[in-house]
Structures are given as structure tokens and as C-alpha cells.
């Protein structure tokens, strides 16, 4: 199974691709897409859509795992992240790839064993699990963490789907 993890954001959108299963995952690719604040909004969204669509076409993932976060304090940030979230959803719908959303606590619990883990602990587990030694952007690390979370949850989701069909 190939999973694309997405850490949505307008200024920085993290993408991370992994392949395998929960016991043996392999790092395929990661990147942080950056848009300039001076760009008009349509240009920023077009760039994100184009790059996500290109990765979907190149790697043909079986699933997308995206961070589902609720930003209550900063409405302007929530709106911008929501636009990036929508662009990713559009690209996935156009490519026919199912999307699975995970909250930050689910990711931390899945990788570290506690929902109260800090960012350094999550990055350490991403590197250890995937054998990635290089330092990389936190947004790309979060995207890889999301992809790994989906690999961990996928067997349960598949079993639930089989039960629902039966």
C-alpha cells in the first residue's frame, strides 16, 4: 500500500509518501510546498493543487491521510488552512484517491504511544520507523507521520469495511 500524508497549510504544505504496511514501511518521498505571501490567493491555490495532483499522478497512492485539525483561536489561519485542505481534497477527488483524516492526538498516539507527545518525539519516531537520517522540514515530517498513522489504522478500517459489507 502507498499512502500520501498531507500536513495542510497555505504557506507551507507538507507531503510525505510511504509504502508498505504497519510492520514494514518504506520512505518514498517527502517535500514541503511553500507559497509566497505576495502571491494572490488563486495563484497560491493553483500551485498547491498542481503539485499535489502531480504527486498523485506520479506515485498513484492507494490512500491519502490528511491532518484534520480544528483551529478555534485564529479564524484567519483556519480559513487559509481550510482553503489548502479543500484544494488537496479536490486533487484527491479528481485522482479518485480516498482521503482519511486523523487528528494530531491520533497521530501522536499512533507513533509515540501517547497523545501528549511533543514534536521532537514524533519526528524521532518518523525517522526511526522509516530509516530517514536527514533533517527535514517539520511540515514534511508531520506528513510522513500522518501516512504512518494511516498504515497503522488501515487494517482496522479494512476489517470494519468487511463487516459493514457482510
Amino acid at each position: 500500500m502507498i499512502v500520501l500524508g498531507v500536513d495542510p497549510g497555505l504557506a507551507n504544505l507538507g507531503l510525505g509518501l510511504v509504502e508498505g504496511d504497519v510492520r514494514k514501511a518504506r520512505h518514498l518521498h517527502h517535500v514541503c510546498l511553500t507559497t509566497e505571501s505576495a502571491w494572490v490567493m488563486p495563484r497560491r491555490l493553483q500551485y498547491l493543487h498542481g503539485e499535489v495532483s502531480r504527486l498523485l499522478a506520479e506515485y498513484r497512492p492507494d490512500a491519502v491521510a490528511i491532518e484534520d485539525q480544528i483551529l478555534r483561536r485564529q479564524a484567519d489561519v483556519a480559513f487559509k488552512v481550510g482553503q489548502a485542505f479543500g484544494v488537496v481534497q479536490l486533487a484527491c477527488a479528481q485522482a479518485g484517491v480516498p482521503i482519511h483524516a486523523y487528528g494530531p492526538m491520533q497521530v501522536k498516539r499512533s507513533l509515540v504511544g501517547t497523545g501528549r507527545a511533543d514534536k521532537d518525539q514524533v519526528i524521532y519516531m518518523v525517522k526511526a520507523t522509516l530509516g530517514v537520517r536527514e533533517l527535514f522540514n517539520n511540515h514534511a515530517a508531520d506528513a510522513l507521520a500522518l501516512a504512518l498513522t494511516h498504515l497503522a489504522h488501515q487494517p482496522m478500517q479494512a476489517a470494519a469495511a468487511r463487516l459493514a459489507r457482510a
Side-chain angles (χ1 to χ4, degrees):
M1 168 173 264
I2 296 175
V3 179
L4 171 63
V6 180
D7 179 34
L10 183 63
N12 297 292
L13 188 139
L15 299 169
L17 283 141
V18 298
E19 179 179 38
D21 60 35
V22 68
R23 292 178 304 278
K24 188 176 180 185
R26 184 171 70 95
H27 171 260
L28 296 177
H29 179 73
H30 68 269
V31 66
C32 179
L33 303 177
T34 303
T35 66
E36 300 295 327
S37 60
W39 294 357
V40 294
M41 185 61 71
R43 180 177 179 203
R44 295 174 89 175
L45 296 174
Q46 180 183 31
Y47 170 73
L48 295 176
H49 180 269
E51 290 301 304
V52 171
S53 296
R54 185 184 62 74
L55 276 178
L56 290 169
E58 182 178 344
Y59 287 94
R60 305 174 77 65
D62 301 294
V64 170
I66 192 165
E67 185 172 7
D68 186 18
Q69 56 187 350
I70 299 170
L71 301 172
R72 297 179 186 193
R73 293 190 187 144
Q74 298 173 311
D76 60 327
V77 173
F79 184 71
K80 290 176 182 175
V81 171
Q83 288 179 317
F85 190 91
V87 165
V88 170
Q89 289 183 346
L90 174 62
C92 292
Q94 289 172 331
V97 182
I99 300 171
H100 304 271
Y102 299 97
M105 289 186 76
Q106 282 180 288
V107 174
K108 292 174 181 180
R109 196 175 309 118
S110 178
L111 266 67
V112 182
T114 175
R116 296 185 179 270
D118 64 31
K119 181 133 337 239
D120 289 338
Q121 290 173 301
V122 173
I123 291 172
Y124 175 84
M125 289 306 296
V126 167
K127 287 180 176 181
T129 301
L130 296 174
V132 176
R133 303 266 183 256
E134 65 189 79
L135 295 174
F136 47 84
N137 181 284
N138 285 345
H139 300 286
D142 288 348
L144 289 168
L146 283 153
L148 290 171
T149 297
H150 182 71
L151 288 181
H153 284 82
Q154 197 277 329
M156 268 190 309
Q157 290 172 353
R162 283 192 300 275
L163 284 174
R165 286 191 301 267

